[in-house]
Amino acid sequence: MTLPPLNPADADFARTLRARLPDAAFRPLGPAYLEEPRGLFRGQGGLVVAPGTAEEVAEVVRAAAAARVGVVPYGGGTGLVGGQVMPDGPAPVILSLERMTRIRAVYPAENVLIAEAGAILADVQAAAEAADRLFPLTLASEGSCRIGGNLATNAGGVNVLRYGNARELCLGLEAVLPDGSLWHGLRRLRKDNTGYDLRALMIGAEGTLGVITAASLRLFPRPAVTGTALMVVPSPGAALDLLALAGDRLGPVISAFELISGQAMRFLAETGCIARAPFAALPDWAVLIDLGLARGGDVDAALTGLFEAAQAAGLSSDGVIAQSEAQRAALWAMREEIPEANRRVGSISSHDISLPLSAIPGFLQAATAAIAAKGPFRINCFGHLGDGNLHFNVFPPQGRTRADFPGARTEVAQAVHDLVAQFDGSFSAEHGVGRLKVHALETYADPARLAAMRAIKAALDPDGIMNPGAVLARRTGRREQGQTTPT
Amino acid sequence: MTLPPLNPADADFARTLRARLPDAAFRPLGPAYLEEPRGLFRGQGGLVVAPGTAEEVAEVVRAAAAARVGVVPYGGGTGLVGGQVMPDGPAPVILSLERMTRIRAVYPAENVLIAEAGAILADVQAAAEAADRLFPLTLASEGSCRIGGNLATNAGGVNVLRYGNARELCLGLEAVLPDGSLWHGLRRLRKDNTGYDLRALMIGAEGTLGVITAASLRLFPRPAVTGTALMVVPSPGAALDLLALAGDRLGPVISAFELISGQAMRFLAETGCIARAPFAALPDWAVLIDLGLARGGDVDAALTGLFEAAQAAGLSSDGVIAQSEAQRAALWAMREEIPEANRRVGSISSHDISLPLSAIPGFLQAATAAIAAKGPFRINCFGHLGDGNLHFNVFPPQGRTRADFPGARTEVAQAVHDLVAQFDGSFSAEHGVGRLKVHALETYADPARLAAMRAIKAALDPDGIMNPGAVLARRTGRREQGQTTPT
C-alpha cells in the first residue's frame, strides 16, 4: 500500500496553528530538536510547537491531519534509535511536550500517580518518593528523559526484573489519536477487561499511533531496607545459575541483577571513569545484585547467605557486599559509568539485544567467535542479565579507533543480529525501533505480525502523519519534497 | 460502517473443510458447544471443528475467510459473558481447541512454559509445579477452563495483586489472524521492543481478532512458605487501610487479599456450602490474606505482626491465622464456595466491577443506597479487594426468589454500572465483554477509544468473521439469516 505524500509545515500551516494556539505554544527551532544523542540522524527543519494542554495537542494533530502534515512527538530527546528526529521528507510539526510537566495527582493509598507526558522521569520518581512511594522506572537518562517518551518507547532500565517495563508500570493513558480525537483513558484500575488494550498498543508505538499526553502510573511501597553486592562469577552461565539460586532463595525482593564484564571494568579504568576498581585483579565476569526488603528485613544476612550458597555451588569465588550507602553508590556508579566509558573508547557497533535466558551462554560463544572472525575487536558485554537483556558492544583493539575499520559497523551489526534471531532473541530489547532499526524490523519480524502492524497503522493513521518513517517505513506513491532514500 | 452479511457453515462449507482436515478434527455438535454457564445465551447451531495443530487452525480460518463464514473460538466453555456462544446469525464454525492440549516445553531456568491453547489451566499449573515452578493464574474454573480462553479473556483471579492478570503472565503468542495467517510469536523474552504489542492486543480481544493457538507463559519460583489469615475488619475502608499497612510491612509477598462480607458468610451457612463458620458471631466484613515467602521466611511471625499492628491501629478486632494446611484449606474453601452459595440463593443481578481503591468506600455507600431505593434486596459484596475488583451481587430478600422481581435485573444493573462509571470504575474487571456487555461497552467506553477499537477490528478482520457479535456489535447492511435483534 502506498500513501499520498505529506505536505511541509510551511508558513500557511504555521498561520493556521497560530490562530488556534496561544503564543506561548511556539518555540524557536533550536538545534536540540534536530539532533539525537549519537548523531546518527539529523532533522532538516520543522515547526516547533509546545502545547500547554491535551486539548492544545489535539488542536495541533487535528490541523496536521487536515493539512496532511507530519507530526514528530518530542519528549526529552534522549532516545537512541532516532525516533525523535525526522531526517528527510517535508518539514514536520515537532510536537514538544516540554510544557506539559505537571504531576496532576498522587494517590498514595492507591499506589497511583498521574503525570503529564512532559514530566521529567526524575521528577516523577521524586513525586512518588514525597508520598513515601516508589516509581521504579530507573534508567541512565532519568534526569532529562520525559515520561511520555519513556512510555512511547516502553522503556526498560535496571528494575524490570522486579517491576516490569514501562508498559507494566502504566495503568492508563490520555492520548491524542492520529485523527485528533482525545482519548480520556487515565484509568486507575488493576483489572479492566472492557475491550482491546489500546494502552498497551500505544505504549511502544513510538509516537506512530498518536501522542501520549498524560499517564496514570503504578507506584509501589518503598523497600524499607536495600542492599547491594558485587559477586565475581566464572562465566555468564554461572551468572545465570546464580540468578536462579537467588530467585529460589530470595523470591521477589531482587530489584536488579546486572552482568558486568571484565572488559567493562578495564574500559572504566582505562578511560578514568572510575577511580578505583573493586577488585585488585579484574575478574572476567561479575554480577551486581540489588535487593529491596520490607521493614525488618535483614539484607546483610540475605546477601551473605546468597554468597555462601553461591560459593558452595562453585558459582562465585569473590564478592563485595556494600556496608554503607557510600559503598552501595560506588558499586552502582561502576555499573552506571559503563556507557560513558564505552563512549570514550568509541564503539564500532552497539547492540541492545535480548535473549531467552538459557540461550545466553550459547549465543555469547557463537557471537564471540563470529566477531573474532571479523577482526581483532574487543567486546564489552554487560547489562540487565535478569531480563536476558544484554548490551553487546563491539570496539576496536586498543590503540586504534573505529575510523580504522570503515564498513565494519554494518557487517558486525548484521552478524550479531543474525545470531540473535537464530537464538530466538530480539534485536531491540529496550531502545525500540525508531528510524535506526526499521530495516531490522522488516528483516526479522514475523511476516504475519508485520502485516498486522501495518494494517493497524493504516487503520488508525490512514495518511501516515504520525512520526513518519519511524517503526514502519512510510512508502509514498511519489517522492516527497526533501526525501532521501527510505530507511 | 456496515459489513456484508455472513454465510452459514453449511454442507458445502463442511465439505470444503473435510477435504483439508483429517477426520479426527470433526466433532458432533454436542450441547456443551451451544450453552454457557449461566444460561443467558444459547447457540442455534454450527459446525464443530477441533484442529490438532496450529496449521489446521489456520486452514479453518482461511476457509472461513474465503467463504465469509463466522468463526467462534471455543476453549473450556466457562466464560461468564457469552463470548463462546453465538446466539443468532448464520451458523458459525465452532473452532474448539480441545485437541491442542500439549505442554510443548518447560524451561525451568528461564521461568517459561509453552502451552497449547487447549491445555486445561490446572494442567498448566501442574506442569509448572512438576518443574518446581509456579504458574500463578488461579481461578474458580481452573479444572476445566483452557489457557487459550484465559488469555483471550485476560483472566484475573486471586493472585493478580502479586503476579498480574493473564496479560502480564504471557510473554508471547502463536495465533491465527483473521486472514488465516499464522503468527509465530512464542517469544521467551522479558524485554522486546520491536514494534506494536500484538500480544497485548490479542489478549483480552476475546477471539475477535484471531485465534490463540499457543502461548509462552511466565513462571515464578514457588514460594517456599505460605500462610493464610482471616481478619475481621469494621468496614471496607478499614480493609483498604489494612491492605496499605500490609503492603508497607510485608512488601511483595502478599499473594492474595480478598474481601468477604458478612452477607457472604450468612449465605454460606444458609445454603449449607460450609459446615462451620470461622467466627461464632458473624462479622460484617473480613479479609482473607495469603502470603508466600521465600525459603526461611517466618510466615507466622509475619501474619501475627500484621494482625497486632492492625489491632493497634483499630483496623481489626479478631482474626484466625491458619495453623495447618487443613486450616488454610478451610479458610480458602470459605472464599471459594461463595459463588456456589450465591448460585443457590439466586442473584437478581451480578456485577464484576473494579474501582480505584480509594473510591471503594464511597462507591459502596452510594451503591448500597441506590439498591435500597429499588427494593428490599440483599447485597453480597466480596472479591479481590487488593485489585479493586469487587463482585457486587444483588439478591432477593430471604424467603423470596428473583422470579418475584421481574424487570429488576436490568434496572439494578444499570444503577450499579452508572455508579461504577461515576466513580471511574470498570463494568467488567475480569470477565470481559463477550456478548453480555456489548451495550455496556458502547455506553461507557471513551468514544475515541471505541472508535479506535472499531478501526482495529475492521483493519484486521474486514469481513467481521472472528467471533461475530462479541465485544463489538456486528452491524450488517441487511439482516443475516437467523439474526435476531443486535445486542
Side-chain angles (χ1 to χ4, degrees):
Chain A
M1 197 191 66
T2 58
L3 290 169
L6 294 175
N7 297 310
D10 57 13
D12 267 0
F13 185 74
R15 269 191 296 278
T16 304
L17 281 191
R18 285 207 173 261
R20 299 189 195 179
L21 298 179
D23 285 349
F26 296 87
R27 285 279 186 277
L29 180 62
Y33 299 112
L34 302 175
E35 294 169 350
E36 48 82 28
R38 297 199 288 188
L40 300 172
F41 297 89
R42 196 176 160 80
Q44 299 305 305
L47 173 69
V48 181
V49 183
T53 65
E55 288 72 20
E56 288 178 16
V57 174
E59 283 287 358
V60 174
V61 176
R62 272 195 290 271
R68 217 193 294 131
V69 164
V71 178
V72 177
Y74 190 89
T78 60
L80 294 171
V81 288
Q84 70 276 48
V85 171
M86 187 169 146
D88 54 21
V93 181
I94 297 167
L95 200 165
S96 170
L97 281 304
E98 67 198 63
R99 289 179 62 231
M100 294 184 60
T101 59
R102 277 199 309 142
I103 306 295
R104 287 198 196 154
V106 185
Y107 302 89
E110 289 180 23
N111 280 310
V112 173
L113 178 154
I114 296 184
E116 290 186 342
I120 300 280
L121 174 53
D123 293 339
V124 176
Q125 294 167 344
E129 192 169 335
D132 195 26
R133 289 294 181 274
L134 173 74
F135 181 62
L137 188 67
T138 303
L139 37 87
S141 59
E142 61 197 26
S144 53
C145 63
R146 299 180 190 271
I147 190 69
N150 296 142
L151 291 165
T153 57
N154 188 27
V158 295
N159 288 334
V160 171
L161 177 66
R162 177 163 178 173
Y163 298 103
N165 291 288
R167 186 177 284 118
E168 282 81 49
L169 300 175
C170 174
L171 296 171
L173 293 177
E174 177 190 82
V176 175
L177 302 184
D179 63 357
S181 61
L182 179 53
W183 168 36
H184 296 281
L186 291 175
R187 308 290 265 180
R188 286 141 52 203
L189 306 173
R190 309 290 162 148
K191 286 180 171 173
D192 179 21
N193 269 351
T194 54
Y196 306 162
D197 192 352
L198 195 58
R199 173 198 63 84
L201 186 66
M202 293 287 292
I203 296 172
E206 305 184 37
T208 64
L209 298 178
V211 188
I212 294 168
T213 56
S216 49
L217 302 169
R218 290 184 68 181
L219 305 180
F220 294 81
R222 293 175 65 202
V225 191
T226 52
T228 302
L230 184 70
M231 299 188 193
V232 170
V233 292
S235 67
L240 288 165
D241 290 343
L242 178 53
L243 173 66
L245 183 70
D248 284 346
R249 288 184 65 93
L250 303 171
V253 302
I254 307 163
S255 302
F257 196 97
E258 300 282 308
L259 182 70
I260 300 178
S261 63
Q263 189 61 266
M265 297 187 219
R266 283 192 290 279
F267 280 1
L268 288 165
E270 279 171 35
T271 58
C273 280
I274 57 167
R276 202 168 61 82
F279 302 103
L282 291 187
D284 284 341
W285 298 97
V287 291
L288 187 65
I289 306 172
D290 218 51
L291 303 186
L293 275 63
R295 206 187 309 179
D298 186 342
V299 77
D300 211 61
L303 286 169
T304 306
L306 176 63
F307 177 65
E308 287 170 359
Q311 259 191 323
L315 300 176
S316 183
S317 53
D318 197 359
V320 178
I321 297 176
Q323 297 300 316
S324 65
E325 270 305 306
Q327 279 184 21
R328 189 166 175 246
L331 289 179
W332 268 103
M334 189 180 70
R335 166 65 185 87
E336 284 159 358
E337 286 297 318
I338 296 175
E340 176 57 21
N342 286 345
R343 205 187 56 76
R344 293 187 191 177
V345 176
S347 79
I348 287 173
S349 185
S350 300
H351 314 93
D352 165 42
I353 60 176
S354 63
L355 292 150
L357 288 179
S358 59
I360 287 176
F363 166 82
L364 285 179
Q365 196 171 14
T368 303
I371 298 302
K374 300 232 171 273
F377 302 131
R378 294 180 292 178
I379 295 168
N380 182 7
C381 176
F382 65 102
H384 318 302
L385 188 71
D387 314 315
N389 175 194
L390 299 177
H391 298 302
F392 185 90
N393 298 354
V394 179
F395 296 83
Q398 200 155 14
R400 302 180 65 186
T401 74
R402 62 183 151 206
D404 299 331
F405 299 91
R409 181 196 178 92
T410 310
E411 216 180 307
V412 165
Q414 190 179 327
V416 172
H417 287 165
D418 282 353
L419 277 171
V420 165
Q422 196 178 309
F423 282 87
D424 294 328
S426 169
F427 62 85
S428 188
E430 56 177 8
H431 296 167
V433 177
R435 290 175 173 82
L436 183 63
K437 298 185 177 176
V438 171
H439 179 68
L441 183 67
E442 289 181 348
T443 307
Y444 300 108
D446 174 85
R449 173 168 170 264
L450 192 58
M453 282 177 55
R454 288 180 174 139
I456 291 167
K457 169 74 173 172
L460 297 181
D461 183 14
D463 284 339
I465 64 164
M466 287 307 311
N467 213 359
V471 184
L472 296 169
R474 189 178 191 284
R475 298 206 162 74
T476 53
R478 56 190 178 82
R479 286 178 70 80
E480 289 167 342
Q481 180 192 336
Q483 190 177 26
T484 59
T485 50
T487 321
Chain B
M1 197 191 64
T2 58
L3 291 169
L6 294 175
N7 296 310
D10 57 14
D12 268 359
F13 183 73
R15 268 189 297 277
T16 304
L17 282 191
R18 285 208 174 259
R20 299 190 194 177
L21 298 179
D23 285 350
F26 296 87
R27 284 280 185 277
L29 180 63
Y33 299 112
L34 303 174
E35 294 168 352
E36 48 82 30
R38 297 198 289 189
L40 300 172
F41 298 89
R42 201 181 154 76
Q44 299 304 307
L47 174 68
V48 181
V49 183
T53 66
E55 288 71 20
E56 288 178 18
V57 173
E59 284 287 358
V60 174
V61 175
R62 273 195 290 271
R68 216 191 297 133
V69 163
V71 178
V72 177
Y74 190 89
T78 60
L80 293 171
V81 289
Q84 70 275 48
V85 172
M86 187 169 148
D88 53 23
V93 180
I94 297 167
L95 199 165
S96 171
L97 282 305
E98 67 197 65
R99 289 179 62 230
M100 293 183 61
T101 58
R102 276 199 309 142
I103 306 296
R104 288 197 195 154
V106 185
Y107 303 89
E110 290 181 21
N111 280 309
V112 173
L113 178 154
I114 296 184
E116 291 186 340
I120 300 280
L121 174 53
D123 293 339
V124 176
Q125 295 166 345
E129 192 170 335
D132 195 24
R133 289 294 180 272
L134 174 73
F135 181 62
L137 189 66
T138 303
L139 38 87
S141 58
E142 62 198 26
S144 53
C145 62
R146 298 180 190 273
I147 190 69
N150 296 142
L151 291 165
T153 58
N154 187 27
V158 296
N159 288 335
V160 172
L161 176 65
R162 176 163 179 175
Y163 298 102
N165 292 287
R167 186 178 283 118
E168 283 82 49
L169 300 176
C170 174
L171 295 171
L173 292 177
E174 177 190 85
V176 175
L177 302 184
D179 63 357
S181 61
L182 179 53
W183 168 36
H184 296 281
L186 290 176
R187 310 291 265 179
R188 285 142 51 202
L189 307 172
R190 309 289 163 149
K191 286 180 170 173
D192 179 22
N193 270 351
T194 54
Y196 307 162
D197 192 352
L198 195 59
R199 174 199 62 86
L201 186 65
M202 293 285 293
I203 296 173
E206 306 184 37
T208 64
L209 299 178
V211 188
I212 294 167
T213 56
S216 50
L217 302 169
R218 290 183 67 181
L219 304 181
F220 295 82
R222 293 176 67 201
V225 192
T226 52
T228 303
L230 184 70
M231 298 189 194
V232 170
V233 292
S235 67
L240 288 164
D241 291 343
L242 178 53
L243 173 66
L245 183 71
D248 285 345
R249 288 182 67 94
L250 303 172
V253 301
I254 308 163
S255 302
F257 196 95
E258 299 281 308
L259 181 69
I260 300 178
S261 63
Q263 188 62 264
M265 298 188 219
R266 282 191 291 279
F267 280 2
L268 288 166
E270 279 172 35
T271 57
C273 280
I274 57 167
R276 204 167 59 82
F279 302 104
L282 292 187
D284 284 341
W285 299 96
V287 291
L288 187 66
I289 306 171
D290 219 51
L291 303 186
L293 276 64
R295 207 187 309 180
D298 186 341
V299 76
D300 212 60
L303 287 169
T304 306
L306 177 62
F307 177 66
E308 287 169 0
Q311 258 192 324
L315 300 176
S316 183
S317 54
D318 198 359
V320 178
I321 297 175
Q323 297 301 315
S324 65
E325 270 305 307
Q327 279 184 21
R328 188 166 176 247
L331 290 179
W332 268 103
M334 189 179 70
R335 166 65 185 87
E336 285 160 358
E337 286 297 319
I338 296 175
E340 176 58 20
N342 286 344
R343 205 187 56 76
R344 293 188 192 177
V345 176
S347 78
I348 286 172
S349 184
S350 300
H351 313 92
D352 164 41
I353 60 176
S354 63
L355 292 150
L357 287 180
S358 60
I360 287 176
F363 166 82
L364 285 179
Q365 196 171 13
T368 304
I371 299 303
K374 303 232 170 270
F377 302 132
R378 294 180 293 177
I379 296 168
N380 183 8
C381 175
F382 65 101
H384 317 303
L385 187 71
D387 314 314
N389 176 194
L390 300 177
H391 298 301
F392 185 89
N393 298 354
V394 178
F395 295 83
Q398 200 156 15
R400 303 179 66 184
T401 74
R402 61 182 153 206
D404 299 332
F405 300 91
R409 182 196 179 95
T410 310
E411 216 181 308
V412 164
Q414 190 180 326
V416 172
H417 287 165
D418 283 354
L419 277 171
V420 165
Q422 195 179 311
F423 283 87
D424 294 326
S426 168
F427 62 84
S428 187
E430 56 176 7
H431 295 166
V433 176
R435 291 175 171 83
L436 184 63
K437 296 184 178 177
V438 171
H439 180 67
L441 183 67
E442 291 181 346
T443 307
Y444 299 108
D446 174 85
R449 173 168 171 264
L450 192 57
M453 282 176 57
R454 287 181 174 137
I456 291 167
K457 170 73 174 173
L460 297 182
D461 184 15
D463 284 339
I465 64 164
M466 286 307 310
N467 213 358
V471 184
L472 296 167
R474 188 176 192 284
R475 297 204 164 77
T476 54
R478 57 189 177 84
R479 286 177 71 79
E480 288 167 341
Q481 179 192 338
Q483 190 177 26
T484 58
T485 50
T487 319

